[in-house]
Every structure is written in C-alpha cells, then in structure tokens.
Amino acid sequence: MNAIPVLSIRKKDLPVAIGLSKSTIDNLRREGSFPKPRLIANRSVAWPVDELQDWLRSRPQVDTEVESYAESLRECVAECSVSSSEALSEWMSCHNLTQHQAAKTLGVSSRALKSYLAGEIPVPRTVTLACIGWTHQSRD
C-alpha cells in the first residue's frame, strides 16, 4: 500500500517541520513575513508543504563567517571543557582567581560557585562558556 504524501502541515507541527520555534513563527506571522495558512475544515488551518518549502528556500542563508565562529566555539568547548568541579577549580587556579573574583568574573553568586566547586551542583553550560570566553578574551 502506498503512503499518502503530506500536503499540509498543522500549526502544532510547524516548529519541527521547519526548524523554528513557535514564538519565532508567531512573530513572523505578525510581521506578515510568513506564509498564510489555508482553511482545511471548520476552524482548522494548515500550511501547504510546497509553500513552506518555497518560503524556506527564499530565506537568507546563515552567514558563513558566523557559522565559522560557531564552529570555533564548538571546538573550544570540546578542547577546554570546564564541566566539572575539578576543571572549574583548575581554571580558577590557572588564572589566579579567588572564589570571590571567579564568581564576579563568571556572573554567578559566590554561594553558587562554592556549590559547583564542591560538586553539589553540576557546572552549568553557561558557566563553562563564560570560562572559555574569559580565557580567550584574556589571551588577546
């Protein structure tokens, strides 16, 4: 038996289908820069797949320079991960930072930093990225 091809996409399925968040789609719709839905039944709408594909093709592509920076950041995260309490402690030691200075530098409370260092709370990714950014900035 042949499957029936998907001809339209309902609103709840849009984020997954086109790779944008619901709020981004809503904003684009308010701006009038998103394809109009079609009424498919009483109070039910959907977007034709071919129109969504055309709209996606018309969107500007990601700037290759921005993508290059993103790739560099991914590599930095892989190289100098500060995702454990030991790594965070080593990062502080490497930069001669006290707990108070490190907390201020990373934009976290001293209490939170102590919890990360004690291993009571996992080091958040935002803190890891802040460590990496600060390290690279201090090298320049």
Side-chain angles (χ1 to χ4, degrees):
M1 184 181 265
N2 291 337
I4 298 172
V6 175
L7 300 176
S8 61
I9 297 176
R10 303 289 300 267
K11 184 176 183 178
K12 67 181 178 69
D13 300 320
L14 273 176
V16 171
I18 64 173
L20 294 174
S21 70
K22 181 186 175 305
S23 61
T24 298
I25 293 168
D26 290 342
N27 289 338
L28 290 168
R29 287 184 67 198
R30 274 192 290 281
E31 293 170 3
S33 59
F34 193 77
K36 302 272 188 238
R38 301 289 188 274
L39 189 63
I40 59 172
N42 193 18
R43 298 182 344 176
S44 293
V45 296
W47 283 259
V49 170
D50 58 342
E51 289 183 23
L52 288 171
Q53 289 171 333
D54 291 344
W55 179 80
L56 284 169
R57 282 188 213 100
S58 74
R59 304 278 296 161
Q61 296 300 310
V62 174
D63 185 350
T64 55
E65 187 176 347
V66 170
E67 187 57 38
S68 172
Y69 287 133
E71 184 57 34
S72 295
L73 181 57
R74 284 193 224 41
E75 289 171 8
C76 286
V77 169
E79 284 175 17
C80 48
S81 179
V82 182
S83 58
S84 68
S85 57
E86 296 83 17
L88 182 58
S89 179
E90 187 177 316
W91 177 82
M92 289 171 48
S93 176
C94 179
H95 295 287
N96 297 318
L97 295 172
T98 64
Q99 283 187 7
H100 178 75
Q101 292 168 326
K104 187 173 179 180
T105 297
L106 298 172
V108 299
S109 69
S110 294
R111 185 178 198 174
L113 184 68
K114 286 179 186 177
S115 295
Y116 305 149
L117 291 169
E120 297 167 355
I121 301 174
V123 178
R125 180 171 283 187
T126 53
V127 172
T128 298
L129 292 172
C131 291
I132 293 166
W134 194 84
T135 298
H136 284 276
Q137 185 179 16
S138 66
R139 288 181 189 166
D140 297 338

